[in-house]
Amino acid sequence: MFRLLILAVCLFHAAFVAAQEQRVALLYGNSDYQHVGPLDNPINDASDVAIALKGLGFKVFLRTDGTKEEMLAVADEFAAAAETADVAMFFFAGHGFQVNGRNYLVPVDAKIQQSSDIAAQTIAMDEILERLERSKGLKLVFLDACRDNPFEGTDTGGEAGLARVGSAADYLIAYSTQPDNVAYDGSGRNSFFTEALLNHIYTPGQDIADLMINVRKDVLATTGGLQVPWENSSLTRQFRFDNSPVTASEETMLWQVAADTGDPRLMQLYMDAYPQGAHVEDVVAFLDNGDTQTRTLQGDDAASEDRLWKLAQRSRSRPLLEFYVQQHPEGAHVDQAQRLLASIPRPEDATPGTMCERLATHPRDKTAKAPGVSFSLLQQNSLVAVQACSAAMVQSPDLPHYIALLARSMAAAGDLDRAVGLYQRASERGDLRAMVSLAFLYETGTGVAQDNARALQLYEEAVAGGSPDAMINLAVTLFEGASVPRDEARAIDLLRRAADIGSPKAIYNLGVLAQDGVTGSPEEALDLFGRAAQLGEIPGYRAAAVLLDEGRGVDRDPEQAANMLLRGLASDRGQVLKELTEQTGNWSRDTISAIQVRLAAAGFYEATIDGLPGPSFTEAAQRWRNGGFDPNLLTN
């Protein structure tokens, strides 16, 4: 009890500290340019990020379609507020370009005919940085402006995209694509970069470095590797947009909320969003049998409302936000929910690109908005997918990503000849997923004559482009040494490169190698398993728990082993539940005791804390899995 009291005090202190942090943000979104072509996304981008930041405790200064005078005026207001801020953030979406290594942001009234017009007609990025410098805290800069020079035919002398900006301490400067490269407009309401940022900004307990890894993964996936977000960081401390305790994935939390409420509508939402999810069997059993046992988990109404709200906010799911408003019309977060709803397109307004991604995205290329579908599921919807991806190809001819998705749809529809041709076309235009898929076809002789040399060439090209899947596939080939000479050193290097990009599968495999003494140490394995699990490779929780429970090369820690097992219990397909309740010899009594303590704190376990499984323990573990997950109890 004393330990739990200390835990509560620590959590209160953390929440109090986070609440006292002063945060300010300046946002520009320029779309309706007067002297050059308009842009579709920037006003939406800046406005939607502003909504998110307000929900995360920022005082927001927003200017859309601003003239130079208007933009500088609001910048001065922001600068005054930044002087006492712990965190000052700047976000720009619109036209921007570089000249001689200096970046310029373009107001909507800019008219540039020659290089001498630049200083008078634009805002130098340096002017914004000077205002940010007034803050003694962290400075965050997000530039979604790396497009081609809009003043085509004029003498600006600019290079493509934006130049790299150096920074003093406590800066993070994030670009929507690599310096000196251009970014693509999105296929929907937001740019690819801003959409990815919005999809991850609410993740509880996520450090900004991990946020940028997730943003980069999403943009790589949605552009087929043609756009790679990049950042330059000199931060001296961690920063989290959401300081809440690290929780489970959105998929797990949706199941938890659905099970907690016992509402069939939420169960169906889970099925729609995660047709191959870890809890599909649980949902099917509920919907088929009308199981009402999960209703007993409903507790405090305010806590239940807050849990639903946190999930709806984090996922930016329109159905979940609508469900929240319906269930809590006078709720504490209704105004914020309505603002979010206004920024999220209705299903009937979905663009062909959005539909194509939802129906045909490969599971390994899943993004927050498109979980990815198996080939068997795609086969069931192949005709609709072919139509959507064909339309997306026409709508976004500069993005070979949609050609690759059309190829996958064609393969699912049984037209391998056209699929191979489309994969080839997308590969030639630089799409990484197409290269990997085409390499697999050559490797297996599916739809083409088997050609290991061609497969290897395609994998190498995709590796050079930064594809983590190609790195993993090539690493496996090099480990096996069947079609190419065995090269363990390069295989490990490829896995490390994929892990640096944020591939949870690569991180997990490196953990296995470290655990087995092939490379690294058990301590490294423990860290790798934990990172992999948080990024979505759920078996990492159990693997980490094994090391901690047994003290296998690391300090034995039943408390942390219990935390890992309880996270896995809530997230996996039932393996941890089975081991804890049926294969009881797999875990020490100390670890089981630590689990019992946490389940008792959750209100699910009332028997003796003795480290011995039994009916009461089994029931408590099931309740934790089916709606009772509480991240606040998993902090030592």
PDB file of all heavy atoms in Angstrom, residues 330-342:
ATOM      1  N   GLU A 330     -22.455  16.711 -23.054  1.00  0.00           N
ATOM      2  CA  GLU A 330     -22.045  17.789 -22.149  1.00  0.00           C
ATOM      3  C   GLU A 330     -20.661  17.505 -21.569  1.00  0.00           C
ATOM      4  O   GLU A 330     -20.291  18.060 -20.529  1.00  0.00           O
ATOM      5  CB  GLU A 330     -23.062  17.921 -21.001  1.00  0.00           C
ATOM      6  CG  GLU A 330     -24.492  18.136 -21.449  1.00  0.00           C
ATOM      7  CD  GLU A 330     -24.672  19.447 -22.197  1.00  0.00           C
ATOM      8  OE1 GLU A 330     -23.949  20.408 -21.875  1.00  0.00           O
ATOM      9  OE2 GLU A 330     -25.517  19.494 -23.113  1.00  0.00           O
ATOM     10  N   GLY A 331     -19.913  16.649 -22.224  1.00  0.00           N
ATOM     11  CA  GLY A 331     -18.625  16.216 -21.695  1.00  0.00           C
ATOM     12  C   GLY A 331     -17.591  17.330 -21.638  1.00  0.00           C
ATOM     13  O   GLY A 331     -17.731  18.385 -22.272  1.00  0.00           O
ATOM     14  N   ALA A 332     -16.521  17.048 -20.892  1.00  0.00           N
ATOM     15  CA  ALA A 332     -15.479  18.055 -20.670  1.00  0.00           C
ATOM     16  C   ALA A 332     -14.709  18.394 -21.940  1.00  0.00           C
ATOM     17  O   ALA A 332     -14.088  19.462 -22.016  1.00  0.00           O
ATOM     18  CB  ALA A 332     -14.515  17.544 -19.596  1.00  0.00           C
ATOM     19  N   HIS A 333     -14.753  17.509 -22.945  1.00  0.00           N
ATOM     20  CA  HIS A 333     -13.916  17.712 -24.134  1.00  0.00           C
ATOM     21  C   HIS A 333     -14.748  17.878 -25.409  1.00  0.00           C
ATOM     22  O   HIS A 333     -14.204  17.735 -26.509  1.00  0.00           O
ATOM     23  CB  HIS A 333     -12.967  16.519 -24.292  1.00  0.00           C
ATOM     24  CG  HIS A 333     -12.191  16.197 -23.061  1.00  0.00           C
ATOM     25  ND1 HIS A 333     -11.131  16.950 -22.620  1.00  0.00           N
ATOM     26  CD2 HIS A 333     -12.337  15.187 -22.150  1.00  0.00           C
ATOM     27  CE1 HIS A 333     -10.646  16.435 -21.499  1.00  0.00           C
ATOM     28  NE2 HIS A 333     -11.355  15.361 -21.194  1.00  0.00           N
ATOM     29  N   VAL A 334     -16.018  18.203 -25.267  1.00  0.00           N
ATOM     30  CA  VAL A 334     -16.893  18.286 -26.444  1.00  0.00           C
ATOM     31  C   VAL A 334     -16.420  19.369 -27.416  1.00  0.00           C
ATOM     32  O   VAL A 334     -16.405  19.154 -28.635  1.00  0.00           O
ATOM     33  CB  VAL A 334     -18.355  18.526 -26.021  1.00  0.00           C
ATOM     34  CG1 VAL A 334     -19.188  18.990 -27.207  1.00  0.00           C
ATOM     35  CG2 VAL A 334     -18.947  17.241 -25.449  1.00  0.00           C
ATOM     36  N   ASP A 335     -16.041  20.521 -26.896  1.00  0.00           N
ATOM     37  CA  ASP A 335     -15.614  21.605 -27.785  1.00  0.00           C
ATOM     38  C   ASP A 335     -14.389  21.192 -28.600  1.00  0.00           C
ATOM     39  O   ASP A 335     -14.323  21.428 -29.814  1.00  0.00           O
ATOM     40  CB  ASP A 335     -15.304  22.868 -26.979  1.00  0.00           C
ATOM     41  CG  ASP A 335     -16.561  23.504 -26.394  1.00  0.00           C
ATOM     42  OD1 ASP A 335     -17.671  23.168 -26.866  1.00  0.00           O
ATOM     43  OD2 ASP A 335     -16.420  24.328 -25.468  1.00  0.00           O
ATOM     44  N   GLN A 336     -13.430  20.577 -27.930  1.00  0.00           N
ATOM     45  CA  GLN A 336     -12.232  20.108 -28.636  1.00  0.00           C
ATOM     46  C   GLN A 336     -12.593  19.008 -29.630  1.00  0.00           C
ATOM     47  O   GLN A 336     -12.062  18.970 -30.748  1.00  0.00           O
ATOM     48  CB  GLN A 336     -11.201  19.596 -27.617  1.00  0.00           C
ATOM     49  CG  GLN A 336      -9.952  18.980 -28.215  1.00  0.00           C
ATOM     50  CD  GLN A 336      -8.963  19.993 -28.761  1.00  0.00           C
ATOM     51  OE1 GLN A 336      -9.274  21.184 -28.796  1.00  0.00           O
ATOM     52  NE2 GLN A 336      -7.814  19.524 -29.200  1.00  0.00           N
ATOM     53  N   ALA A 337     -13.514  18.136 -29.267  1.00  0.00           N
ATOM     54  CA  ALA A 337     -13.948  17.074 -30.177  1.00  0.00           C
ATOM     55  C   ALA A 337     -14.584  17.660 -31.428  1.00  0.00           C
ATOM     56  O   ALA A 337     -14.335  17.189 -32.550  1.00  0.00           O
ATOM     57  CB  ALA A 337     -14.915  16.141 -29.463  1.00  0.00           C
ATOM     58  N   GLN A 338     -15.398  18.688 -31.251  1.00  0.00           N
ATOM     59  CA  GLN A 338     -16.057  19.321 -32.395  1.00  0.00           C
ATOM     60  C   GLN A 338     -15.032  19.977 -33.312  1.00  0.00           C
ATOM     61  O   GLN A 338     -15.168  19.938 -34.542  1.00  0.00           O
ATOM     62  CB  GLN A 338     -17.079  20.359 -31.910  1.00  0.00           C
ATOM     63  CG  GLN A 338     -18.255  19.775 -31.137  1.00  0.00           C
ATOM     64  CD  GLN A 338     -19.241  19.020 -32.034  1.00  0.00           C
ATOM     65  OE1 GLN A 338     -18.953  18.730 -33.191  1.00  0.00           O
ATOM     66  NE2 GLN A 338     -20.414  18.712 -31.490  1.00  0.00           N
ATOM     67  N   ARG A 339     -14.006  20.590 -32.723  1.00  0.00           N
ATOM     68  CA  ARG A 339     -12.957  21.201 -33.552  1.00  0.00           C
ATOM     69  C   ARG A 339     -12.209  20.131 -34.343  1.00  0.00           C
ATOM     70  O   ARG A 339     -11.889  20.324 -35.523  1.00  0.00           O
ATOM     71  CB  ARG A 339     -11.990  21.997 -32.677  1.00  0.00           C
ATOM     72  CG  ARG A 339     -12.552  23.328 -32.174  1.00  0.00           C
ATOM     73  CD  ARG A 339     -11.462  24.206 -31.586  1.00  0.00           C
ATOM     74  NE  ARG A 339     -10.951  23.680 -30.325  1.00  0.00           N
ATOM     75  CZ  ARG A 339     -11.462  23.986 -29.130  1.00  0.00           C
ATOM     76  NH1 ARG A 339     -12.495  24.815 -29.038  1.00  0.00           N
ATOM     77  NH2 ARG A 339     -10.936  23.485 -28.029  1.00  0.00           N
ATOM     78  N   LEU A 340     -11.919  19.020 -33.697  1.00  0.00           N
ATOM     79  CA  LEU A 340     -11.240  17.932 -34.401  1.00  0.00           C
ATOM     80  C   LEU A 340     -12.120  17.365 -35.514  1.00  0.00           C
ATOM     81  O   LEU A 340     -11.635  17.091 -36.619  1.00  0.00           O
ATOM     82  CB  LEU A 340     -10.850  16.831 -33.420  1.00  0.00           C
ATOM     83  CG  LEU A 340      -9.569  17.046 -32.616  1.00  0.00           C
ATOM     84  CD1 LEU A 340      -9.407  15.948 -31.582  1.00  0.00           C
ATOM     85  CD2 LEU A 340      -8.354  17.083 -33.530  1.00  0.00           C
ATOM     86  N   LEU A 341     -13.402  17.188 -35.224  1.00  0.00           N
ATOM     87  CA  LEU A 341     -14.317  16.660 -36.241  1.00  0.00           C
ATOM     88  C   LEU A 341     -14.358  17.557 -37.469  1.00  0.00           C
ATOM     89  O   LEU A 341     -14.441  17.078 -38.606  1.00  0.00           O
ATOM     90  CB  LEU A 341     -15.722  16.502 -35.655  1.00  0.00           C
ATOM     91  CG  LEU A 341     -15.953  15.257 -34.802  1.00  0.00           C
ATOM     92  CD1 LEU A 341     -17.275  15.356 -34.055  1.00  0.00           C
ATOM     93  CD2 LEU A 341     -15.931  14.003 -35.666  1.00  0.00           C
ATOM     94  N   ALA A 342     -14.296  18.862 -37.237  1.00  0.00           N
ATOM     95  CA  ALA A 342     -14.340  19.804 -38.365  1.00  0.00           C
ATOM     96  C   ALA A 342     -13.105  19.674 -39.255  1.00  0.00           C
ATOM     97  O   ALA A 342     -13.131  20.071 -40.419  1.00  0.00           O
ATOM     98  CB  ALA A 342     -14.462  21.230 -37.843  1.00  0.00           C
TER      99      ALA A 342
END
